[in-house]
Amino acid sequence: MPLPIVTFYHPGFAAPIGDHIMPIRKFALVAQALRDDASVKLTQPAPVTEADILRVHHEAYLRAIQTGEPRDLAESQKFPWSPQLYPSVCLTSGGLLAAARQALVDGVSAALVSGFHHAEAARGQGFCTFNGLVIAIDKLINEGAIRNASVLDCDLHYGNGTASLAGTRPYLRAISVYGNDYLDNRAYRNIVPRMHEDGANHKSIALPGGCDGREMLAILEQALGLVLEAGKPNLLLYQAGADPYFEDPFSPLNLNHEDLYERDRRVFKFAKEHQIPVAWVLAGGYTEDVQKVVKVHLNTFAAARETFA
Ligand SMILES: [Zn+2]
């Protein structure tokens, strides 16, 4: 009997954000579906501290999230500020950190959070308050648990926040495979596939509009090569986005549940083959029928189970 996949979840992950396109309840639905699954062990993480956040974000921004003032900065991630926001984002970053730490022990772990890849040092963006990916990596670097780490970002949207933070972090290598430019709406439906350097330590490859499973897997193969380009990382954080799914309102891609399951399987197989500890997060997913989003995320668990069993 293989070890269960330790998965971090806390009901306090969700701050009240009102009626919003971000289907924040999907995290609770995924947790519910996993509760009776013997191959998964749900565990509550501890929150990160102010010091952990300040390694990545500016103090003025941290204070805005704590106090709600100035309001435009406190709501730069584009949902309404509330006093519950700060404790909730400390817990989500704590979940990502705990999963990263667990992966160093077990080889694989997950957190039922997003990586929040649009958040930059000075402000939030695109529903992302603090960049949990970089907060977790900086903490583990700081305590000497790892010497370097890679982020493989397969959310539909370009990981601009992580890209900008990677620029000043020689120990971090960030790779984005995206199908929606995020920063440029004109490129929304007619992205041309290209590999490019987006600043130091960050490379990205665009999936072309209409991209199917076969084409996506070929591009993913290139991205996995980039993960190893600077040597094997001590840790891989994987953003397993649900928004590349073809029914997603933001997605110009032609990827179904099987395609995304194959994507996840390939990433886990890669991590296992190269003995790179991997922790994954759920990232975006906005399909109107939230059960279809939940299915993408549960399939990621199935792919991990199949690979690491
Ligand atoms: Zn996204």
Side-chain angles (χ1 to χ4, degrees):
M1 180 77 186
L3 284 174
I5 299 169
V6 178
T7 299
F8 292 89
Y9 174 70
H10 196 295
F13 282 170
I17 58 171
D19 192 14
H20 196 278
I21 185 168
M22 178 78 177
I24 203 159
R25 69 196 174 97
K26 80 174 183 183
F27 301 104
L29 292 171
V30 173
Q32 178 119 36
L34 294 173
R35 207 146 266 148
D36 300 321
D37 184 335
S39 71
V40 172
K41 185 178 168 214
L42 288 181
T43 305
Q44 290 198 354
V48 294
T49 63
E50 259 194 36
D52 297 333
I53 295 163
L54 288 172
R55 277 187 210 100
V56 178
H57 294 284
H58 295 176
E59 187 166 359
Y61 178 47
L62 169 74
R63 300 289 168 233
I65 296 302
Q66 288 171 328
T67 64
E69 298 296 336
R71 193 51 63 105
D72 58 340
L73 188 55
E75 296 186 341
S76 51
Q77 78 293 85
K78 299 285 184 291
F79 52 70
W81 183 86
S82 70
Q84 293 95 323
L85 177 63
Y86 180 66
S88 81
V89 290
C90 288
L91 272 175
T92 53
S93 288
L96 217 165
L97 171 62
R101 224 191 264 292
Q102 192 73 37
L104 297 178
V105 179
D106 291 352
V108 62
S109 182
L112 305 186
V113 298
S114 164
F116 301 111
H117 63 164
H118 297 309
E120 296 180 353
R123 60 190 288 264
Q125 276 186 81
F127 319 149
C128 301
T129 307
F130 295 144
N131 194 307
L133 299 160
V134 183
I135 288 174
I137 288 169
D138 275 15
K139 168 86 168 179
L140 295 174
I141 290 279
N142 186 259
E143 61 189 29
I146 57 171
R147 280 168 288 107
N148 52 46
S150 288
V151 173
L152 176 65
D153 188 339
C154 291
D155 190 84
L156 175 71
H157 300 94
Y158 171 70
N160 62 301
T162 311
S164 72
L165 292 166
T168 53
R169 289 170 168 78
Y171 47 83
L172 166 59
R173 190 166 176 76
I175 315 292
S176 244
V177 177
Y178 68 96
N180 179 319
D181 193 283
Y182 176 73
L183 294 176
D184 181 2
N185 280 331
R186 289 165 306 171
Y188 183 54
R189 288 204 176 259
N190 44 15
I191 281 181
V192 283
R194 62 192 192 279
M195 187 187 298
H196 51 130
E197 297 266 357
D198 307 295
N201 316 317
H202 188 274
K203 289 187 176 180
S204 66
I205 315 178
L207 300 169
C211 175
D212 65 8
R214 221 176 47 142
E215 199 170 1
M216 178 271 290
L217 289 171
I219 288 174
L220 178 62
E221 220 50 54
Q222 285 180 274
L224 293 172
L226 294 174
V227 171
L228 295 176
E229 207 179 41
K232 190 173 101 165
N234 296 157
L235 172 70
L236 177 63
L237 298 185
Y238 172 42
Q239 281 252 99
D243 46 7
Y245 181 65
F246 75 102
E247 288 183 80
D248 191 281
F250 297 109
S251 179
L253 309 176
N254 190 19
L255 300 174
N256 60 24
H257 281 116
E258 289 70 40
D259 298 325
L260 295 174
Y261 176 74
E262 283 305 320
R263 172 197 71 176
D264 296 340
R265 237 166 51 97
R266 182 63 194 110
V267 173
F268 292 135
K269 191 162 162 266
F270 166 85
K272 189 180 179 187
E273 271 170 9
H274 294 279
Q275 296 185 302
I276 303 169
V278 59
W280 87 87
V281 293
L282 311 186
Y286 309 92
T287 302
E288 197 180 343
D289 179 353
V290 73
Q291 292 304 337
K292 292 182 176 171
V293 179
V294 168
K295 184 171 174 179
V296 176
H297 295 315
L298 292 177
N299 278 345
T300 310
F301 278 87
R305 220 177 277 129
E306 190 188 319
T307 309
F308 291 97

